[in-house]
Amino acid sequence: EKGTFIINGTERVDVSQLIRSPGVYFDAVEERTTGRALSTSKLIPDRGAWMEFETRKSDYLTIKFNRKRTIPVTILLRALAAVKDQMDEAFSPIQTGSDEELLAIFAEVDNNPDRRYIETTIKNEPKWELKKDQTLAQAALIEFYRRMRPGDPPTFDNAREFLVSQLFDQRRYDLERVGRYKLNQRLNSGVPQEVRTVTKKDIVKLVERMIMINNGQVGKDDIDHLGNRRVKTVGELIQNKLRVGLRRTERVVRERMSIRESDNVTPVA
């Protein structure tokens, strides 16, 4: 009768919200000493980990993953070579994650002789000490995991599962249709509309555009423009709360099923 909902035991009223639309947004801050533009960008999903990219004064690019630790962006680019996204691997822009490959990918835009952004970013990486039969991409993936989850054992399987679940699992990361449309429109990545997770091509195109903004070839976005906002309806808000509740229920059921012995588990009529 009142149009209210009981959420976590409290009576609440749901109203539509005006939020920033999922997608990618580019901004630039002016360096005080030189007056040049230093690009920043945010890749915002409807659900999942935020990625915030930044250009430092010393001409290297960083990424803050899920609002946690900041690392050189080339570590993530190398790590992507060790996992699969939802696109055909044959057409993936990143295959090995080597220095030569990264420099070749961005050679067309990173062409300012005074400021080599990818080359400088590579120099800010840790010194790679590869173990037996370990590739550079695998080492970068483990390093990425070590930075994001410093308390967990940094094994390759743990690192791969973490990155895939954070970026390429639609249950945890979802751009929604509007986010995929905005991403294709801004980056000209040409990813099919039904692919609602981020792809390797998206991240490469994003870094390319940041370098172009730094070199003065393109401008920044108007973040406050109403075209970059959307209305989140009451139905979506309730759906999100239901999803959280069902995920918690799933986790509890899995934990209890794993504790009990299989012989003692019987279906309830």
Side-chain angles (χ1 to χ4, degrees):
E1 296 179 2
K2 299 178 182 179
T4 59
F5 300 87
I6 305 298
I7 299 176
N8 290 337
T10 307
E11 187 178 21
R12 295 183 182 275
V13 178
D14 278 347
V15 295
S16 300
Q17 297 177 353
L18 187 64
I19 63 169
R20 187 177 294 181
S21 177
V24 62
Y25 299 94
F26 295 92
D27 199 2
V29 295
E30 185 177 313
E31 188 184 359
R32 293 182 179 179
T33 55
T34 62
R36 69 189 181 101
L38 298 176
S39 65
T40 62
S41 68
K42 291 183 179 181
L43 182 53
I44 304 174
D46 182 67
R47 179 177 68 254
W50 283 36
M51 287 187 279
E52 301 172 59
F53 299 81
E54 181 182 345
T55 307
R56 295 292 176 90
K57 294 180 180 179
S58 52
D59 297 334
Y60 80 97
L61 307 174
T62 64
I63 173 176
K64 181 184 286 186
F65 190 84
N66 204 15
R67 301 176 182 176
K68 292 182 181 178
R69 298 173 181 270
T70 301
I71 61 171
V73 73
T74 47
I75 293 181
L76 174 62
L77 292 172
R78 294 185 198 275
L80 290 174
V83 297
K84 294 182 179 180
D85 58 10
Q86 293 191 16
M87 303 294 290
D88 190 343
E89 282 298 304
F91 300 100
S92 173
I94 305 174
Q95 298 288 343
T96 63
S98 64
D99 290 1
E100 295 77 15
E101 184 181 54
L102 294 182
L103 292 171
I105 289 172
F106 299 100
E108 190 173 336
V109 294
D110 194 14
N111 51 17
N112 186 341
D114 299 325
R115 304 187 185 280
R116 298 285 188 180
Y117 293 97
I118 298 300
E119 187 175 324
T120 307
T121 307
I122 290 174
K123 291 179 181 178
N124 282 274
E125 293 178 346
K127 186 176 180 181
W128 300 110
E129 296 180 358
L130 302 183
K131 299 179 181 178
K132 184 178 180 181
D133 298 328
Q134 187 181 55
T135 65
L136 182 56
Q138 292 172 344
L141 180 58
I142 293 172
E143 177 66 20
F144 175 81
Y145 182 74
R146 183 185 289 114
R147 301 280 189 99
M148 295 300 113
R149 305 285 290 271
D152 295 348
T155 64
F156 175 69
D157 290 336
N158 288 348
R160 180 173 55 188
E161 182 180 349
F162 172 76
L163 186 56
V164 169
S165 66
Q166 290 292 308
L167 294 183
F168 306 130
D169 181 0
Q170 193 170 323
R171 294 184 68 192
R172 293 195 175 189
Y173 190 100
D174 190 3
L175 289 165
E176 281 287 351
R177 288 178 296 176
V178 63
R180 169 49 60 196
Y181 172 79
K182 289 276 188 182
L183 221 60
N184 286 349
Q185 187 183 45
R186 176 62 62 199
L187 302 177
N188 195 26
S189 52
V191 177
Q193 191 68 28
E194 60 269 14
V195 178
R196 284 166 40 177
T197 61
V198 73
T199 66
K200 300 177 186 179
K201 190 175 182 181
D202 292 325
I203 297 176
V204 168
K205 290 286 187 180
L206 186 153
V207 175
E208 281 184 355
R209 190 170 181 88
M210 284 186 65
I211 295 173
M212 292 170 71
I213 294 174
N214 289 334
N215 290 335
Q217 298 171 353
V218 295
K220 63 179 183 178
D221 297 336
D222 183 3
I223 296 177
D224 296 323
H225 192 281
L226 284 178
N228 294 326
R229 298 186 180 273
R230 64 182 283 264
V231 174
K232 196 166 190 177
T233 62
V234 172
E236 289 181 83
L237 294 169
I238 297 172
Q239 183 185 36
N240 288 340
K241 290 296 181 182
L242 285 172
R243 179 185 292 111
V244 172
L246 291 173
R247 290 296 296 272
R248 287 177 181 172
T249 304
E250 179 192 23
R251 187 165 62 247
V252 170
V253 170
R254 287 180 181 274
E255 287 176 357
R256 292 185 177 179
M257 291 290 289
S258 62
I259 293 172
R260 297 187 180 185
E261 296 181 5
S262 58
D263 296 338
N264 298 331
V265 177
T266 56
V268 179

